[in-house]
Amino acid sequence: AAAAAAAATANLKPLEQTKAAQAAALEKESKKAAEEKRKKEEEQKKAATPTTKPVDKSRPISSTPIAGTPWCVVWTGDARVFFYNPSTRTSVWERPDDLLDRADVDKAVNNPPEQLKAAGNVVIEKQVEKGEIEKKKEVEVAEEEEEEEQDDDEVIKIRTESESSVEEVPTKKSRLSAKQTRKADANEAAVEAEVRAAKERAVVPLETRVKQFKEMLREKDVSAFSTWEKELHKIVFDPRYLLLTSKERKQVFEKYVKDRAEEERKEKRNKMRQKREDFRKLMEDAKLHGKSSFSDFCQRYGKDDRYKAIEKVRERESLFNEYIVDVRRREKEEKILKKEQVCAYGVTYIYIYL
């Protein structure tokens, strides 16, 4: 067959041979183009397919500030709760001592945000189950601790290095965890501090206590343009904080920030007035005249502290122009006065001559 095809091809005319070669070349090119088109379409499909990034459910989705404290209750996307202090940038999983035995904190911890409610209650149910399991464990641990308390004076046998003799050591175990101990100490200290403060409030006059409380606010650099919640962490640990009752503290705080704001505004106005007076004194020392220019004045006295005290260039130029207007007015008045004096002198001279 191959020989016959070769013979047939050999017998074709030159024109027919050329057409056959062209057809073969075209078919080869079409196959190549189709292959390239198929590869290009596959690449486009891969590029068009979006890569789904895994969602980080551990990120916070809601934050609830607790009134009277610097803490916030934060929920994450995986239905976990932690406590965040924006003042110190501290995050803790365990409830801080400031938030213990508070109904608003319990409400914030037990009520998940709307995002979690919309997503379903599966994660929340798991959280609740986990909480119940932890409560059961705490009950079991408490029961075990009660049983162990009965054997506080038990004897522990410790084997020595020789292993031939046994040393008996009596021990007294602590039944409170570190967290419970801190809580108990904090509560006890708070109660003692409140008792002492109540006794002092009964003895010291209200006027004196208010004065000391205001002194504390000033010493702690409490901002006059802030709120009670934001400034509380600055003063809550000062002994003078307990000089007033809760209601009196907020009343005195509101009065203090109002008065302090007015004082700061007055101080600012007085400082600005003093700076302008110093700038005018600088212009007087410069002995300016009616034809003095602002640019020449800046070049000569730009390094003077009284010049730099006025920060805005536009304000400096305005003060300079006002001063120059006064200088020109004075120069004009002096010139008129001199003319009047010359005229009066001439009239007097003529009268004497006659």
Side-chain angles (χ1 to χ4, degrees):
T9 305
N11 293 331
L12 290 174
K13 294 179 180 181
L15 182 60
E16 294 177 350
Q17 290 178 355
T18 303
K19 288 182 178 180
Q22 289 177 350
L26 287 173
E27 184 179 0
K28 185 176 181 181
E29 288 180 359
S30 64
K31 288 182 179 179
K32 186 177 180 181
E35 183 67 19
E36 290 178 354
K37 185 178 180 181
R38 184 181 63 79
K39 289 181 179 179
K40 190 175 181 180
E41 289 177 352
E42 289 180 355
E43 290 176 358
Q44 289 178 351
K45 287 181 180 179
K46 289 181 180 179
T49 304
T51 56
T52 57
K53 296 182 179 180
V55 180
D56 187 4
K57 292 185 178 182
S58 63
R59 296 180 64 84
I61 61 173
S62 73
S63 177
T64 305
I66 305 302
T69 70
W71 293 95
C72 298
V73 177
V74 182
W75 279 82
T76 62
D78 54 356
R80 301 183 70 188
V81 180
F82 67 91
F83 304 91
Y84 176 64
N85 187 335
S87 302
T88 59
R89 297 184 178 180
T90 305
S91 299
V92 293
W93 290 108
E94 295 183 1
R95 187 182 298 195
D97 296 339
D98 299 347
L99 306 182
L100 296 174
D101 300 328
R102 290 190 55 152
D104 52 348
V105 179
D106 296 337
K107 183 178 179 182
V109 171
N110 296 326
N111 291 335
E114 295 296 331
Q115 295 94 318
L116 293 178
K117 291 180 180 179
N121 298 326
V122 178
V123 178
I124 300 173
E125 290 176 357
K126 290 182 179 179
Q127 189 75 10
V128 173
E129 291 176 0
K130 183 179 178 181
E132 292 177 354
I133 292 172
E134 290 179 353
K135 287 182 180 179
K136 290 181 180 178
K137 288 182 178 180
E138 289 178 359
V139 173
E140 292 176 358
V141 170
E143 292 177 354
E144 291 177 0
E145 288 176 351
E146 289 178 359
E147 293 177 358
E148 290 176 356
E149 284 177 358
Q150 298 175 358
D151 301 328
D152 277 343
D153 298 328
E154 65 180 353
V155 176
I156 297 178
K157 295 181 179 181
I158 299 176
R159 189 174 297 277
T160 59
E161 293 180 356
S162 63
E163 295 189 359
S164 59
S165 61
V166 176
E167 183 180 357
E168 296 182 351
V169 181
T171 183
K172 184 84 173 179
K173 296 181 180 179
S174 175
R175 303 306 173 192
L176 293 175
S177 64
K179 180 181 177 181
Q180 291 171 331
T181 304
R182 288 197 303 270
K183 180 180 177 181
D185 293 343
N187 290 338
E188 185 177 355
V191 171
E192 291 178 358
E194 188 62 35
V195 170
R196 289 195 303 269
K199 292 179 180 178
E200 189 172 356
R201 288 197 294 264
V203 176
V204 181
L206 177 61
E207 184 179 354
T208 305
R209 290 187 280 118
V210 169
K211 183 180 179 181
Q212 293 178 1
F213 191 84
K214 287 183 177 180
E215 289 176 355
M216 176 193 66
L217 296 177
R218 189 178 291 273
E219 289 177 9
K220 299 297 182 180
D221 196 21
V222 172
S223 174
F225 303 97
S226 186
T227 60
W228 170 261
E229 287 75 15
K230 291 182 179 179
E231 301 295 320
L232 182 62
H233 67 281
K234 295 181 181 179
I235 60 176
V236 69
F237 297 110
D238 193 289
R240 291 169 290 183
Y241 176 81
L242 297 173
L243 288 174
L244 303 176
T245 63
S246 177
K247 185 178 180 180
E248 291 171 344
R249 288 174 204 143
K250 292 188 177 181
Q251 289 176 348
V252 173
F253 176 84
E254 295 296 333
K255 183 71 168 54
Y256 170 82
V257 294
K258 185 177 180 181
D259 295 343
R260 185 58 187 157
E262 184 62 28
E263 288 177 7
E264 290 184 6
R265 282 191 285 267
K266 286 182 180 178
E267 290 173 1
K268 189 175 180 181
R269 287 195 296 266
N270 293 335
K271 286 180 181 178
M272 197 64 225
R273 188 183 299 111
Q274 185 62 43
K275 289 179 181 179
R276 290 176 179 174
E277 291 177 357
D278 293 342
F279 190 79
R280 187 176 182 86
K281 184 68 170 58
L282 173 64
M283 291 188 290
E284 291 175 357
D285 295 342
K287 297 180 180 180
L288 300 175
H289 52 79
K291 294 183 180 180
S292 299
S293 65
F294 180 66
S295 58
D296 293 340
F297 174 74
C298 294
Q299 290 178 0
R300 290 181 60 188
Y301 300 97
K303 295 183 179 181
D304 195 288
D305 292 336
R306 294 171 292 180
Y307 176 90
K308 292 187 287 186
I310 306 297
E311 298 178 357
K312 296 181 180 179
V313 178
R314 184 177 297 178
E315 187 176 1
R316 291 187 200 127
E317 188 172 3
S318 177
L319 294 172
F320 177 85
N321 292 334
E322 290 177 4
Y323 182 77
I324 291 297
V325 169
D326 292 340
V327 170
R328 289 172 182 171
R329 180 178 52 78
R330 289 198 302 269
E331 289 179 350
K332 188 176 180 180
E333 290 175 353
E334 290 174 0
K335 188 181 291 186
I336 294 172
L337 183 61
K338 284 181 180 179
K339 280 185 178 182
E340 291 177 352
Q341 289 176 353
V342 169
C343 292
Y345 178 77
V347 171
T348 305
Y349 178 76
I350 293 170
Y351 177 78
I352 295 172
Y353 178 76
L354 293 175

